[in-house]
């Protein structure tokens, strides 16, 4: 799952990794869309974290096998 934090809460994109590995068209499309959103958010300065049962880890590259990726937009103070 990819979760994108925003002022509305969070938006989510989900896919089944087993179906994506089996070349299911719908799962493959969801992975491509999640990766596109991930790349765009990172280019705008967002930070991404892989959330798993173990320690949460900051990541710079999309990981389609991650249980959950959370994208936090750049915080602007003022």
């Amino acid at each position: 799952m990819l979760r994108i934090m925003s002022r509305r809460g969070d938006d989510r994109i989900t896919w089944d990794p087993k179906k994506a590995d089996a070349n299911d068209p719908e799962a493959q499309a969801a992975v491509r869309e999640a990766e596109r959103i991930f790349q765009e958010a990172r280019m705008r300065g967002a930070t991404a974290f892989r959330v798993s049962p173990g320690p949460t880890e900051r990541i710079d590259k999309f990981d389609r096998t991650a249980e959950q990726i959370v994208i936090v937009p750049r915080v602007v103070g003022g």
Side-chain angles (χ1 to χ4, degrees):
M1 174 187 321
L2 177 68
R3 296 177 60 195
I4 307 97
M5 301 294 119
S6 70
R7 68 182 101 205
R8 297 182 312 270
D10 66 324
D11 296 316
R12 299 174 185 208
I13 297 177
T14 60
W15 62 92
D16 182 333
K18 291 178 185 172
K19 287 183 178 180
D21 289 342
N23 295 322
D24 176 77
E26 190 173 315
Q28 289 283 326
V31 169
R32 283 192 303 274
E33 178 67 1
E35 187 167 15
R36 181 190 68 76
I37 291 169
F38 180 93
Q39 296 299 335
E40 287 180 2
R42 291 286 296 132
M43 287 175 40
R44 289 191 308 270
T47 304
F49 298 93
R50 179 181 17 236
V51 180
S52 62
T56 299
E57 172 184 7
R58 184 174 173 249
I59 59 174
D60 295 319
K61 293 184 179 182
F62 181 76
D63 179 2
R64 69 186 270 169
T65 65
E67 184 175 323
Q68 187 175 162
I69 298 173
V70 177
I71 297 179
V72 180
R74 179 180 293 192
V75 177
V76 179

